[in-house]
């Protein structure tokens, strides 16, 4: 009963938030709606008994990813709107529905075909975090390490890409210095 | 209606995936495109967690973890590239990013 109420409530909230995130033209509204949607999604994980996944969802998405987007947005002029050229709406909606239907078929096909046997069944009397740890550090140890290396590579790439000229403060420089810097940039880019 | 089964979660996941897909197709702003990508990844995570719960199998949750790790690194690299592009061209409009067109 409560599960059903919670499911429908959070389903409605998540869909509403993500709809706002894709339909609004303001980047700030989209960011806030997306952050709210991420938190609501973690509610599904808690309902489903995946406590650790829910906590990771909140920490990684609402904490790290949204903070990263917020910092990234400070580099841009978010008040200026990017012109959204409207294409053919029928084609877009048709393609999306088709792709979504394909996803359902792909997910449902093995379930309809034969009953799946649990590869790593849940252990009795262990909490979710404990189970996740036991499976992650035995069966999925190599993918775990590969993911760690990938995150390191991504971190270095982010620093290298975004960290250029971070030692210069654009607000403290005079206009003539800025002009000189811009022209140097143009020469380099040519 | 009151009994929440696997299909409820799969339908929800599909709806969210469709929303994200519409976002990917109609957005012309690169930042908004990243937001839509996050929605796609999250909708798939819901179905992974639901399948994991209803089949008593932890593999789904493991996949969800790796999807989250990939999403985090995608954001780091993507935002870095976005900042470089914005510094160079002073816009993040997708239609202008056609310099590699043959």
């Amino acid at each position: 009963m409560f599960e059903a109420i919670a499911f429908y409530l959070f389903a409605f909230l998540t869909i509403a938030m993500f709809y706002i995130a894709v339909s609004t033209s303001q980047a700030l509204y989209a960011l806030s709606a997306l952050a709210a949607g991420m938190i609501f999604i973690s509610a599904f994980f808690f309902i489903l008994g995946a406590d650790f996944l829910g906590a990771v969802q909140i920490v990684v998405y609402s904490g790290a990813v949204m903070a990263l987007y917020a910092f990234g947005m400070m580099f841009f002029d978010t008040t200026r709107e990017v012109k959204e050229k409207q294409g053919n709406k029928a084609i877009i909606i048709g393609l999306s529905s088709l792709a979504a239907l394909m996803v359902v078929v792909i997910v449902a096909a093995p379930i309809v075909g034969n009953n799946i046997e649990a590869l790593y069944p849940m252990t009795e009397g262990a909490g979710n975090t404990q189970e996740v740890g036991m499976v992650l550090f035995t069966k999925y140890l190599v993918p775990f390490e590969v993911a760690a290396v990938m995150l390191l590579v991504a971190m270095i790439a982010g620093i290298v890409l975004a960290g250029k000229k971070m030692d210069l403060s654009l607000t403290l420089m005079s206009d003539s210095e800025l002009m000189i810097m811009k022209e140097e940039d143009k020469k380099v880019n040519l | 209606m009151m009994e929440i089964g696997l299909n409820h979660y799969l339908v929800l996941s599909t709806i969210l995936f469709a929303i994200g897909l519409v976002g990917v197709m109609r957005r012309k702003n690169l930042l908004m495109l990243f937001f839509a990508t996050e929605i796609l990844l999250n909708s798939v995570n819901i179905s992974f967690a639901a399948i994991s719960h209803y089949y008593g199998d932890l593999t789904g949750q493991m996949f969800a973890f790796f999807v989250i790790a990939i999403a985090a690194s995608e954001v780091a690299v993507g935002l870095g590239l976005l900042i470089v592009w914005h510094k160079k061209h002073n816009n993040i409009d997708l239609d202008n990013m056609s310099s590699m067109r043959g």
Side-chain angles (χ1 to χ4, degrees):
Chain A
M1 177 65 187
F2 285 114
E3 194 195 349
I5 293 171
F7 175 81
Y8 286 117
L9 176 69
F10 283 112
F12 172 73
L13 283 174
T14 316
I15 291 171
M17 285 303 151
F18 283 168
Y19 179 73
I20 293 171
V22 298
S23 61
T24 183
S25 57
Q26 296 278 335
L28 204 59
Y29 292 170
L31 184 79
S32 321
L34 195 64
M38 297 295 180
I39 301 244
F40 292 143
I41 276 189
S42 76
F44 292 117
F45 296 152
F46 289 123
I47 294 172
L48 287 167
D51 300 344
F52 191 65
L53 191 58
V56 165
Q57 170 84 11
I58 292 179
V59 170
V60 171
Y61 270 111
S62 316
V65 171
M66 284 305 135
L68 205 59
Y69 276 133
F71 277 112
M73 270 171 57
M74 290 174 195
F75 286 92
F76 314 127
D77 184 10
T78 49
T79 53
R80 193 189 56 191
E81 287 184 19
V82 174
K83 241 183 281 168
E84 304 264 358
K85 195 175 61 188
Q86 292 301 331
N88 192 340
K89 268 199 173 157
I91 290 178
I92 291 176
I93 291 168
L95 276 176
S96 321
S97 313
L98 190 71
L101 193 70
M102 294 264 296
V103 172
V104 174
V105 170
I106 290 166
V107 171
I111 298 170
V112 174
N114 54 345
N115 288 324
I116 300 172
E117 292 284 313
L119 210 56
Y120 304 115
M122 311 257 186
T123 0
E124 289 293 322
N128 177 258
T129 313
Q130 207 177 346
E131 289 172 45
V132 165
M134 283 193 289
V135 176
L136 191 62
F137 290 113
T138 52
K139 307 283 182 189
Y140 288 93
L141 186 60
V142 175
F144 179 73
E145 299 288 345
V146 172
V149 172
M150 186 186 67
L151 281 171
L152 179 69
V153 170
M155 187 183 80
I156 294 171
I159 292 169
V160 169
L161 285 171
K164 278 180 199 161
K165 295 198 182 140
M166 280 290 181
D167 50 333
L168 299 175
S169 170
L170 293 177
T171 47
L172 294 179
M173 287 159 77
S174 63
D175 285 347
S176 53
E177 280 177 314
L178 278 174
M179 290 303 288
I180 293 167
M181 203 181 79
K182 264 191 183 170
E183 284 185 2
E184 278 175 0
D185 268 2
K186 266 182 200 163
K187 271 178 209 160
V188 172
N189 290 337
L190 286 176
Chain B
M1 189 66 180
M2 294 313 278
E3 193 75 22
I4 301 297
L6 179 56
N7 285 338
H8 287 77
Y9 284 98
L10 289 182
V11 167
L12 172 73
S13 165
T14 312
I15 292 171
L16 293 181
F17 195 86
I19 290 175
L21 216 52
V22 169
V24 167
M25 283 183 208
R26 71 180 281 271
R27 284 298 182 178
K28 294 288 178 236
N29 184 333
L30 190 55
L31 198 64
M32 298 297 191
L33 193 76
F34 280 136
F35 289 175
T37 319
E38 300 296 326
I39 295 173
L40 292 181
L41 291 169
N42 265 288
S43 73
V44 175
N45 271 355
I46 290 179
S47 60
F48 273 140
I51 290 172
S52 163
H53 178 252
Y54 284 101
Y55 283 91
D57 190 342
L58 277 175
T59 316
Q61 288 184 33
M62 294 300 134
F63 263 87
F65 283 123
F66 292 123
V67 168
I68 288 179
I70 287 172
S73 41
E74 173 246 323
V75 168
V77 177
L79 260 181
L81 289 171
L82 185 59
I83 288 168
V84 170
W85 181 272
H86 187 264
K87 274 180 185 168
K88 218 170 174 178
H89 299 268
N90 211 21
N91 66 39
I92 46 173
D93 199 339
L94 271 178
D95 287 337
N96 295 338
M97 298 185 189
S98 54
S99 56
M100 281 182 73
R101 184 175 291 164

